[in-house]
Each structure stands twice: as C-alpha cells, then as structure tokens.
Amino acid sequence: MTQSLIKLTKEQKQHFETEGYVIVKGLFSEADLARIDETFEAISNQTVPGYFEPDLSTEVVDPLKRYPRVMHPHRFNETAKTYMLHQPVLEVLADLYEEEALAAQSMFYYKPPGSRGQALHQDNFYLQVEPGNCIAAWTAIDAADEENGGLLVVPKTNALEISCPDIADSKESFTTHYVKPPKDEKAMPVIMDRGDVLFFNGNLIHGSYRNKTKARFRRAFICHYANASATHISNHYRPLYRANGETVSLEINPSGGPCGDEFETVYPH
C-alpha cells in the first residue's frame, strides 16, 4: 500500500477523535474551485430529473425552490465525480479511517440569500454504515460564517449513539428532522474559508444557520464516505466508488435504525 501524501498532525487526528470533526485548510486549489464554480453555475440553470429540479419561474418566493440542493451530481456529471474522488480528500479520509475510504454520496448546496438552514441531525441515521461509520467531507465553495448560513457542530457528540429525531421547525429548517443536543451541550459555528474542508464523524450532531445576508450565497460541495471494511449501507447510497472510479456494492442495511418503523422513509440526505 502506498503511503498517503497528506497526513494529519497528531493534534488534528486527536481533535477529530475527541471533538468529532477537524478542518483541513486549502484542500481545494483556486483552479479546482473555479472548475466547480463553472460546473454548478451551468447546472443551476437546468433541470436534471431526480437530481436537481429547480423552479425556474420568476415568481418564486422561497429561494430554495429556485436553488434546491443538487443530489448525487456525481451520477450525471463527471466534474462532480472527479471531486468526490479528489485525491487530497481521500488521503485525509484514509488517515482518519486508517484504511481506504469508499465514496458514497455527493451533494451541492447553493444556499442563496434568505434561505432556511438545516436542523441539527446525525448523518449515519441516514447512511447506516455498518460496521464502522460514515465521514462527511464538507467543502466550502464560498467562505462560510454565521451570517451566510455556515455550519454548526455540537462538539463531542460523535461519542453518542444515533438518536431517533424529533420534528424540526419548518420555518427555520428545510429538512424535517431535528436531533436535540444533550443537556449543557451547545452548537457552535464553524468558520471556513473558500477551499477549506470540514471532516466530521457520522454520529456528530450538526446543522446550519439560516442565510441572513442579502447578497451572499453559501455554496458547499459535500460528500459522504464509508470505511472499506464496512459491509452494509442504506440502499440510497449504493453503489460506492473506490479512488480509481471502480464501483463497490455493499449489502443493503436491513436495520430500521433507532426509530424502528416510525421513520420508514428517512431519505434524502
């Protein structure tokens, strides 16, 4: 096995293990980001049934109707697939997993001015990676902060079990699930520059603010990964991909999760 070109410091790995997340600065070059800008600007003006279905009329009130998130763009766009398999990201993931990472999902969020945030939740509630866990790689395409709807994390909640969620406030969240943080634990903002990548554990409670700005988007390219030793994952995330683009088909996870039959349909995420 070849040695990873990018290795995290001992402090970075310890931060991920204890706090549940770590930011790695500048994993995407400006050339990479310009290519992503161009690709998703083009996608924003079209309809891709099943993956991106914006309301292109001039009378849209909800900005997320005009700019919904793009689900699984790697399934129809080669640039998205290329950056889902971005070598620097895979190298960090291999360091965190201490084994090969398999790519399970890609998403692109436009998050235009005025749009709602996403209620606090846990990713592995949806992906159901077993044994092991999913890890998210959340790339800031625009600088992200408290004003334009940056990410929120609840540190150390990676040590918690997956919870059955409550119903979110639809006035503030475009998704329906909400996981309440433990008593005395609070969500904190993650401030990121363009090109930074936030890696976080699938049990970590996280979400995002509403975009309160009048003119700033908060675009993000977000991918989820599983450890290569995993045997099961939710059906919606199959097939997975190795770094060379080869597909891998893990078994469908038969578990209903922590909610049993109460949440039969928990996708999309």
Side-chain angles (χ1 to χ4, degrees):
M1 180 178 176
T2 59
Q3 186 175 7
S4 294
L5 297 175
I6 295 178
K7 285 286 189 180
L8 299 176
T9 65
K10 179 181 178 181
E11 291 74 20
Q12 285 175 311
K13 289 193 73 170
Q14 184 175 23
H15 194 274
F16 182 84
E17 291 166 4
T18 59
E19 304 298 312
Y21 68 96
V22 66
I23 297 175
V24 182
K25 305 289 291 183
L27 276 189
F28 284 71
S29 70
E30 191 51 47
D32 295 326
L33 294 164
R35 188 176 174 194
I36 292 170
D37 288 342
E38 181 180 6
T39 296
F40 285 96
E41 177 63 25
I43 289 173
S44 73
N45 292 306
Q46 59 183 280
T47 297
V48 185
Y51 299 107
F52 182 64
E53 300 181 4
D55 184 341
L56 298 174
S57 68
T58 58
E59 300 177 355
V60 180
V61 175
D62 183 351
L64 291 178
K65 296 292 186 182
R66 171 60 185 88
Y67 289 102
R69 55 185 171 172
V70 188
M71 302 300 292
H72 289 308
H74 69 276
R75 292 183 178 175
F76 66 88
N77 182 275
E78 282 302 311
T79 298
K81 184 176 179 181
T82 294
Y83 286 112
M84 181 180 72
L85 301 175
H86 191 44
Q87 189 62 29
V89 169
L90 293 180
E91 289 168 357
V92 171
L93 288 163
D95 205 10
L96 292 173
Y97 275 132
E98 298 185 346
E99 62 175 302
E100 180 187 8
L102 303 177
Q105 183 192 30
S106 64
M107 296 185 290
F108 190 88
Y109 283 48
Y110 293 96
K111 196 148 190 187
S115 57
R116 289 170 291 166
Q118 187 169 11
L120 296 173
H121 62 282
Q122 296 167 293
D123 287 349
N124 211 39
F125 175 75
Y126 305 92
L127 277 83
Q128 298 182 6
V129 173
E130 291 183 352
N133 209 328
C134 64
I135 295 178
W138 197 102
T139 302
I141 306 303
D142 297 309
D145 53 47
E146 296 179 60
E147 291 300 309
N148 73 340
L151 211 65
L152 294 161
V153 299
V154 184
K156 295 183 173 62
T157 52
N158 55 302
L160 300 180
E161 297 296 321
I162 295 295
S163 300
C164 185
D166 295 324
I167 301 301
D169 179 357
S170 62
K171 293 180 180 179
E172 293 298 325
S173 173
F174 73 91
T175 52
T176 58
H177 296 159
Y178 168 71
V179 174
K180 185 178 180 180
K183 186 179 180 181
D184 299 326
E185 298 290 343
K186 294 184 179 180
M188 58 164 282
V190 180
I191 309 302
M192 300 173 67
D193 294 320
R194 174 170 161 88
D196 293 350
V197 182
L198 175 72
F199 295 87
F200 56 91
N201 175 284
N203 286 34
L204 186 79
I205 298 175
H206 66 285
S208 67
Y209 294 101
R210 171 184 288 272
N211 186 340
K212 296 179 285 187
T213 71
K214 296 186 181 300
R216 294 170 57 207
F217 279 68
R218 190 234 61 189
R219 296 171 301 159
F221 182 62
I222 306 162
C223 296
H224 290 100
Y225 302 85
N227 46 295
S229 58
T231 58
H232 291 76
I233 195 169
S234 172
N235 185 46
H236 303 289
Y237 305 91
R238 303 185 322 143
L240 290 79
Y241 294 82
R242 297 189 187 278
N244 63 3
E246 175 189 350
T247 58
V248 179
S249 292
L250 302 186
E251 295 295 319
I252 298 172
N253 195 331
S255 169
C259 306
D261 296 330
E262 184 180 350
F263 284 84
E264 290 185 6
T265 303
V266 297
Y267 189 80
H269 175 72

